[in-house]
Amino acid sequence: MKKRLTVDMDGVLADVFQQFIINHERDFGQRKTLEEIAGLSEEEAFPKTREYVFTKGFFRNAPIIKDSQEILARLNEVYELFIVSAAMEFPNSLGEKQEWLNEHFSFIKWQQMVFCGSKTIIAADIMIDDHFKNLDHFHGVTYLFTQPHNKLTDPGRHTRVNSWQEIASLLL
Amino acid sequence: MKKRLTVDMDGVLADVFQQFIINHERDFGQRKTLEEIAGLSEEEAFPKTREYVFTKGFFRNAPIIKDSQEILARLNEVYELFIVSAAMEFPNSLGEKQEWLNEHFSFIKWQQMVFCGSKTIIAADIMIDDHFKNLDHFHGVTYLFTQPHNKLTDPGRHTRVNSWQEIASLLL
C-alpha cells in the first residue's frame, strides 16, 4: 500500500517569496535579496504583504519552485499524493490556486487537491511544508522546506530540505 | 478535549436537491417530487445534473437545509467543528461555497473550512455526510444524513439521521 504524502503549495511548489520580492520592488523601487529577508516573516520582510495576497493574480502568476514539477511527477507514481494548501484565508486564491495547479502540475487530479484553513485535520504519513505551524501538529514524518522565513530557525524534530533535489534523494 | 466533528455541505447544509428540482422544472416544465426521485442518483433523477453544477450561481444560491443553522451553531460550541466539502470537482464552486458559508453560517471561521476532492485524507472523530463513498472510508463515528439518493439504501454500519433535529438529539 502506498504511503500518503502531503505537499504544501506556497513556499514549496509556488514561489510566493519571489512574488513578494517582485511586488515590493514595483512599489518601493528596491529589490530585496533572499539574504536580507532571511529569518523574517513575510509581514516583517514586506510591509504590504496583506495587500499583495489579496490582489487578483498574486497566486495565479506565482513562479514555480525549481525542480518541483519533475520530482513531484515522480513522487506521484510512488506515493498517494495530496496537495494541501491553507488557501481559505484568501478567498480570491481558491480558484487561482486550482488554475495554477491545473496549468503547471496537470498530472495532479482534482481528487488530490485539498484547500483548508488549518492543516490539523489532515491524516497522512509524510508532510512537506515550509511552516512550523503545519508540521508541528502532524503525527507522521515531517520535512521542513527551506524558505527565507524559516531559514534561521532550528528545524527541531523536522528534517530540513533545501531543494526538490534533496527531497528526491530522500523520498525516491 | 473537544471531539472533532466534520460536517458535509451539499445535501447536509446546502439543499442542492432543491436546486436540482428548481433547475429541472425551469428546463422541463415538470416539478419532480422527493418521492419520485427516492433511490436515484442525482444524474439519474436530473439528466442535466452536470450542466447545473457547472453553472455560475448553482452553489451560491442553494437553499439552506431546515434547522441546520441553529443546530450547527450549538454544535460549534461543543465540538471542534470543520465543514468539509468535496468542492474540487467543480472549479466555479470554490468561491461560491465559501461565500455561501460566510453568508449563512457566519460563525464558521475560515480556519474551519476544508474543500477537497477525496475525503479519505480527513482525520476526525465524527462525520456527518450524505454519501457512502465518504462515510465508508472514515474510521470514526458516522452519520448518514438522509437525502433522496440514499433514502432506500440500508445505512449499514452508519447511523441514519433524517433531520437536524435528530442530529441535535444525538450529539447535543
Side-chain angles (χ1 to χ4, degrees):
Chain A
M1 201 167 140
K2 287 180 178 178
K3 285 195 174 176
R4 186 179 298 158
L5 167 65
T6 76
V7 175
D8 182 29
M9 273 184 80
D10 297 337
V12 176
L13 301 178
D15 200 343
V16 290
F17 257 81
Q18 278 302 326
Q19 276 288 67
F20 285 128
I21 288 170
I22 292 164
N23 278 265
H24 185 88
E25 185 179 16
R26 182 198 62 211
D27 288 349
F28 297 95
Q30 178 224 11
R31 189 167 185 88
K32 294 211 173 189
T33 64
L34 292 178
E35 287 65 35
E36 73 182 296
I37 59 175
L40 302 180
S41 72
E42 292 159 349
E43 289 79 2
E44 288 167 336
F46 309 102
K48 290 172 80 172
T49 289
R50 298 288 298 179
E51 182 185 316
Y52 298 153
V53 294
F54 283 101
T55 301
K56 195 169 152 55
F58 181 85
F59 292 101
R60 183 64 186 88
N61 302 314
I64 304 157
I65 287 184
K66 189 171 181 296
D67 300 326
S68 61
Q69 287 164 302
E70 178 214 330
I71 291 163
L72 200 65
R74 290 163 62 199
L75 290 167
N76 192 40
E77 303 298 316
V78 183
Y79 294 89
E80 186 195 1
L81 177 66
F82 284 87
I83 308 301
V84 180
S85 177
M88 285 297 166
E89 191 173 359
F90 314 115
N92 295 334
S93 77
L94 297 170
E96 292 196 11
K97 285 187 172 216
Q98 200 180 27
E99 284 177 24
W100 189 91
L101 280 175
N102 287 339
E103 180 185 346
H104 300 299
F105 294 82
S106 56
F107 55 88
I108 305 284
K109 301 186 186 79
W110 59 263
Q111 289 92 338
Q112 296 171 271
M113 301 178 190
V114 183
F115 292 165
C116 56
S118 159
K119 295 189 185 179
T120 55
I121 197 167
I122 299 302
D125 300 300
I126 305 166
M127 177 179 274
I128 304 173
D129 209 290
D130 67 319
H131 278 289
F132 286 95
K133 68 180 176 195
N134 298 322
L135 297 170
D136 286 348
H137 291 278
F138 187 72
H139 295 297
V141 176
T142 45
Y143 293 96
L144 177 73
F145 195 84
T146 296
Q147 284 285 278
H149 65 82
N150 69 37
K151 202 170 181 175
L152 305 181
T153 310
D154 181 338
R157 72 170 175 94
H158 316 303
T159 301
R160 183 182 284 282
V161 284
N162 295 298
S163 68
W164 274 92
Q165 292 298 340
E166 269 190 52
I167 292 173
S169 70
L170 287 164
L171 293 180
L172 286 170
Chain B
M1 202 167 137
K2 287 179 178 178
K3 285 194 173 176
R4 187 179 297 158
L5 166 66
T6 76
V7 175
D8 182 29
M9 273 184 81
D10 297 338
V12 177
L13 301 178
D15 200 343
V16 290
F17 258 81
Q18 277 303 326
Q19 277 287 65
F20 286 128
I21 287 171
I22 292 164
N23 278 266
H24 185 88
E25 185 178 16
R26 182 199 61 211
D27 288 349
F28 296 96
Q30 178 224 12
R31 188 167 185 88
K32 295 210 173 189
T33 63
L34 291 177
E35 287 65 34
E36 75 183 294
I37 59 175
L40 302 181
S41 72
E42 292 159 349
E43 289 80 1
E44 289 167 336
F46 309 101
K48 292 172 80 171
T49 289
R50 297 290 296 177
E51 182 185 317
Y52 298 153
V53 294
F54 282 102
T55 301
K56 194 170 153 55
F58 180 85
F59 293 101
R60 183 64 186 88
N61 301 314
I64 304 156
I65 287 185
K66 188 171 182 294
D67 300 327
S68 62
Q69 287 165 303
E70 178 213 330
I71 291 163
L72 200 65
R74 289 164 61 199
L75 289 167
N76 192 39
E77 302 298 316
V78 182
Y79 294 89
E80 186 195 2
L81 176 67
F82 284 87
I83 307 301
V84 180
S85 177
M88 285 296 165
E89 190 172 0
F90 314 115
N92 295 335
S93 78
L94 297 171
E96 292 196 11
K97 285 187 173 215
Q98 199 180 27
E99 285 176 23
W100 189 91
L101 281 175
N102 288 338
E103 180 185 347
H104 300 300
F105 293 83
S106 56
F107 55 88
I108 305 285
K109 301 188 186 78
W110 58 263
Q111 289 92 337
Q112 296 170 270
M113 302 177 189
V114 182
F115 293 165
C116 56
S118 160
K119 295 190 186 180
T120 56
I121 197 168
I122 299 301
D125 300 299
I126 306 166
M127 178 180 275
I128 304 173
D129 208 290
D130 66 319
H131 278 289
F132 286 95
K133 68 180 175 195
N134 298 323
L135 296 171
D136 286 348
H137 292 278
F138 187 72
H139 295 296
V141 177
T142 45
Y143 294 96
L144 178 74
F145 194 85
T146 297
Q147 284 286 278
H149 66 82
N150 69 37
K151 202 170 181 175
L152 305 181
T153 310
D154 181 338
R157 73 169 175 95
H158 315 303
T159 300
R160 183 183 284 282
V161 284
N162 295 297
S163 68
W164 274 92
Q165 292 297 342
E166 269 189 52
I167 292 173
S169 70
L170 288 163
L171 293 180
L172 284 171

